[in-house]
Amino acid sequence: MSLFQVLPTYAVTSRDKTLDLSQPHIMGILNVTPDSFSDGGQFNAIDSALAHAKEMIAAGATIIDIGGESTRPNADAVAPTEERQRVVPVIKVIRQQLGNDIWLSIDTSDPTVMQAAFEAGADIWNDVRALKRDGAAAMAAKLDIPVMLMHMRGEPTTMNNLAQYDDVIEEVSAELAARIDEVTSIGVKREKIIIDPGFGFAKDYNHHRALLSQLTRLQALGLPMMFGISRKRFLAEVLTKSGVEAVATTQAIDRDAVGTAAGLFALQQGASIIRTHNVAMMQQAVALWQQLAMYNQS
């Protein structure tokens, strides 16, 4: 079988827009936080956030994922009021300056932040806690927008102690399925859900290897998949264990090449959205993947 298969035929709608997920999409990361592990403090001013969003769109991003709370291990909690103050002005200016065609995703777990973000122009709710906070699932149902449900155990402060699995693929799939059932019972439409296997959250090195090598098994859930591994510690561990320590021990940005390779493996296994800090590099890789996929279908 060819590695370059067409993506599953999925689409999600938000307001009057439709995102065709039968083609790969690149989600550019825009952290407006002072403490994110890779780029904290770089884009938390409105002017720099807008400029970076423009750069990522020019490089090929079709979705901009805006986050106002760091979810790195042991990150400090952020009050909803502060989170809203960080993200809402950025959403407004991007929407005003760049129009309605670009999709805006908000990386938050707080339903009040999401409501304010939606009113400012956001299209997608990206929640690392899978709508588990009080009122989150009800808010997602009310807003009727696409939601990204990520697999995680516990909280960023406790998740590393919960990385225990007999079969990580089977258990991630089962836990995502259970969460999908829970949120749909509250009113979230199944056709609005995008799954995220949760790289970097409650998983160790071997769990990540197993998950990345068998992502295709998650297609059994019958939902589109977002893949986010950009600049995460697992990539540094790959380089270290492969003898590339000079790269692995420097800056998170130096993991972009191996992260891009991981993104290609995810595409080959059915991921529709690749979340990345380095849009230009990922776009080049996606272009190659698309050309090879077209060749194999001809």
Side-chain angles (χ1 to χ4, degrees):
M1 185 189 338
S2 169
L3 289 174
F4 302 98
Q5 305 296 309
V6 295
L7 291 176
T9 303
Y10 295 120
V12 292
T13 60
S14 186
R15 304 180 211 256
D16 59 348
K17 299 194 298 187
T18 299
L19 187 66
D20 177 9
L21 296 174
S22 65
Q23 296 295 322
H25 289 267
I26 298 175
M27 172 187 276
I29 299 168
L30 180 57
N31 288 319
V32 289
T33 58
D35 59 343
S36 290
F37 77 96
S38 171
D39 52 5
Q42 292 186 35
F43 308 115
N44 53 348
I46 292 178
D47 288 349
S48 60
L50 176 62
H52 191 49
K54 288 179 177 179
E55 290 172 0
M56 291 192 289
I57 293 165
T62 50
I63 308 168
I64 301 297
D65 190 41
I66 303 164
E69 177 191 23
S70 175
T71 53
R72 60 181 171 77
N74 302 311
D76 292 332
V78 177
T81 300
E82 183 176 357
E83 192 179 353
R84 285 195 297 273
Q85 290 171 347
R86 290 176 180 179
V87 301
V88 169
V90 173
I91 299 163
K92 285 182 177 179
V93 74
I94 292 175
R95 185 60 78 210
Q96 291 166 357
Q97 294 284 325
L98 303 182
N100 195 48
D101 288 344
I102 188 67
W103 285 71
L104 299 182
S105 166
I106 301 304
D107 187 352
T108 185
S109 296
D110 187 273
T112 65
V113 173
M114 188 60 235
Q115 182 171 27
F118 176 79
E119 292 168 356
D123 304 297
I124 299 172
W125 188 346
N126 177 18
D127 188 0
V128 300
R129 296 176 178 86
L131 304 180
K132 289 180 181 177
R133 284 193 172 165
D134 288 347
M139 180 62 72
K142 174 186 173 182
L143 298 179
D144 195 30
I145 57 173
V147 292
M148 296 179 174
L149 301 183
M150 194 195 78
H151 177 271
M152 176 171 65
R153 291 177 173 177
E155 288 284 327
T157 53
T158 62
M159 62 184 178
N160 288 341
N161 296 326
L162 301 173
Q164 300 172 26
Y165 304 88
D166 293 321
D167 181 335
V168 65
I169 311 296
E170 183 64 29
E171 291 173 61
V172 166
S173 181
E175 290 168 26
L176 281 172
R179 190 62 195 146
I180 291 163
D181 288 345
E182 290 165 359
V183 302
T184 53
S185 72
I186 296 171
V188 177
K189 296 174 182 174
R190 186 178 178 87
E191 61 266 26
K192 297 285 188 177
I193 296 173
I194 299 166
I195 60 169
D196 175 356
F199 284 86
F201 293 83
K203 297 165 189 76
D204 66 19
Y205 177 74
N206 285 324
H207 298 144
H208 283 116
R209 286 202 303 171
L211 198 56
L212 182 55
S213 66
Q214 301 178 62
L215 273 181
T216 187
R217 288 171 57 184
L218 295 183
Q219 289 190 39
L221 293 171
L223 291 168
M225 186 193 313
M226 189 271 278
F227 176 80
I229 204 171
S230 182
R231 297 184 181 175
K232 292 187 177 177
R233 184 179 62 185
F234 165 67
L235 301 174
E237 292 173 332
V238 168
L239 297 173
T240 299
K241 291 176 185 295
S242 302
V244 196
E245 290 193 56
V247 172
T249 56
T250 54
Q251 301 299 313
I253 193 173
D254 294 319
R255 306 167 192 167
D256 283 352
V258 66
T260 299
L264 284 180
F265 283 121
L267 278 177
Q268 290 170 1
Q269 297 179 79
S272 300
I273 300 170
I274 307 298
R275 183 177 182 271
T276 184
H277 294 84
N278 193 328
V279 172
M281 185 179 290
M282 192 70 239
Q283 176 58 29
Q284 291 183 12
V286 169
L288 173 62
W289 182 88
Q290 288 178 308
Q291 289 301 312
L292 293 173
M294 289 170 59
Y295 176 80
N296 278 270
Q297 294 163 41
S298 62

